[in-house]
Amino acid sequence: MARYGMLINTKKCTGCGACRMACQHQNHLLPSEAFIRFETKETGAAPSVNVETVPLQCMHCEDAPCASVCPTGAARIGAGGIVSVDHGRCIGCLYCMAACPYQVRVRNEKTGAVDKCRFCVANREGGGHSSTCVDACPNHVRIFGDLDDPASELSREIAAAGAQPIAGDLTKSKVYYVR
């Protein structure tokens, strides 16, 4: 069984929003909803200030706090370690939103259900082997793959770049960043 993950190279990200727009289209999100948000980080001192764009999304934590607090079992860790939401079971209590250390869950204004990045499971079920945000990025910022396959492009790039999860081992996330 694959253990899916993603590498995001913030050195290449320009904040163009192509990944976010593709994600919104793929997941039929309302304009006010987004599974990807952008934050900026400034380093250095004037006049040599560097501004880094950091795209944030669900980290698919191995021990997902959102899943452990869900009273209905709607939030759960599924195949390949992907943290998913069963919309039919979600009662909109917002416990998962409060528990998420990355604040990347989104509440649907129409249904009240909470949702999040799914690593585009729908894309793979349709025969794809990637995530929509990866495919949409013009700068090749993202790599998606199997963390347990040492020969995968993802594993090779993580090792070569010395990439780390955004919060270290705090949540044992499956999203790694090159900074």
Side-chain angles (χ1 to χ4, degrees):
M1 170 63 66
R3 187 172 60 103
Y4 294 113
M6 185 178 289
L7 174 67
I8 299 174
N9 187 336
T10 61
K11 293 178 183 179
K12 294 180 178 181
C13 184
T14 61
C16 72
C19 58
R20 179 181 164 151
M21 288 186 292
C23 173
Q24 284 178 289
H25 178 73
Q26 168 77 30
N27 294 293
H28 311 289
L29 300 178
L30 299 172
S32 60
E33 296 174 323
F35 292 165
I36 300 170
R37 77 169 187 270
F38 296 94
E39 293 190 0
T40 56
K41 179 181 176 186
E42 292 184 14
T43 56
S48 301
V49 175
N50 182 37
V51 179
E52 173 185 35
T53 301
V54 181
L56 289 174
Q57 65 191 55
C58 178
M59 300 296 160
H60 296 276
C61 305
E62 287 189 23
D63 186 20
C66 60
S68 64
V69 300
C70 181
T72 65
R76 61 180 182 272
I77 302 170
I82 296 173
V83 179
S84 63
V85 178
D86 180 341
H87 299 105
R89 296 179 79 174
C90 179
I91 58 173
C93 68
L94 309 182
Y95 288 175
C96 60
M97 288 183 78
C100 177
Y102 303 101
Q103 300 302 296
V104 291
R105 288 182 158 256
V106 177
R107 185 170 192 233
N108 182 294
E109 295 170 5
K110 291 182 180 178
T111 66
V114 177
D115 208 352
K116 51 169 275 323
C117 165
R118 307 174 194 118
F119 275 161
C120 287
V121 172
N123 189 358
R124 282 189 302 287
E125 287 173 353
H129 298 290
S130 188
S131 289
T132 302
C133 59
V134 173
D135 297 338
C137 182
N139 296 324
H140 309 289
V141 168
R142 299 162 177 266
I143 299 171
F144 178 83
D146 183 357
L147 290 165
D148 288 338
D149 178 1
S152 72
E153 179 186 10
L154 174 66
S155 294
R156 290 192 320 267
E157 288 296 322
I158 287 172
Q164 297 293 321
I166 195 166
D169 285 337
L170 178 66
T171 57
K172 297 182 183 170
S173 77
K174 296 178 197 80
V175 178
Y176 290 72
Y177 285 83
V178 175
R179 297 187 116 161

